[in-house]
Amino acid sequence: MSTPLTVRIDRAADGQLVLFAAGEIDASNVADFAEALNTGTGGDADTLTVDLSAVEYLDSAAINALAPHAESLQIIANPVLMRVLIVSGLAELAKIRPAAAADSDEL
């Protein structure tokens, strides 16, 4: 049984692609997340914003999905995820900032 995850890609007001994820990202559902990352980074855009402000948990499968795209990502992370993103080394490869408290309520 897979863990609940909602993933969608939208365009921001400035035309940039934004991948929104909500729920938990783990081995049971990482394929959907990885597919969305591939879609979002496969176009002509230089940077994909990945909004993880509504993600409450992610494991190494999610880190492994993010890593190949890290240099072209701007990640907005739920503050509870910041330690994992830093310890994993992803923060050295991608632009990551914690979401403001109000950002977490968008999804």
Side-chain angles (χ1 to χ4, degrees):
M1 184 169 171
S2 77
T3 306
L5 174 68
T6 303
V7 180
R8 76 174 196 273
I9 296 178
D10 287 328
R11 288 217 179 261
D14 64 2
Q16 293 291 327
L17 287 178
V18 181
L19 186 156
F20 293 95
E24 298 181 4
I25 307 170
D26 60 24
S28 71
N29 59 23
V30 73
D32 294 335
F33 182 65
E35 182 179 333
L37 281 169
N38 288 334
T39 299
T41 58
D44 57 356
D46 291 336
T47 303
L48 173 66
T49 298
V50 178
D51 188 335
L52 302 178
S53 59
V55 172
E56 301 157 3
Y57 171 83
L58 55 78
D59 69 6
S60 61
I63 298 295
N64 288 335
L66 289 163
H69 307 285
E71 292 181 0
S72 63
L73 299 179
Q74 176 175 297
I75 300 171
I76 302 167
N78 183 328
V80 301
L81 303 178
M82 289 302 294
R83 181 151 175 83
V84 170
L85 297 172
I86 292 167
V87 169
S88 71
L90 197 61
E92 294 177 25
L93 303 173
K95 295 175 188 161
I96 301 174
R97 69 174 172 87
D103 292 346
S104 307
D105 300 331
E106 289 183 14
L107 277 179

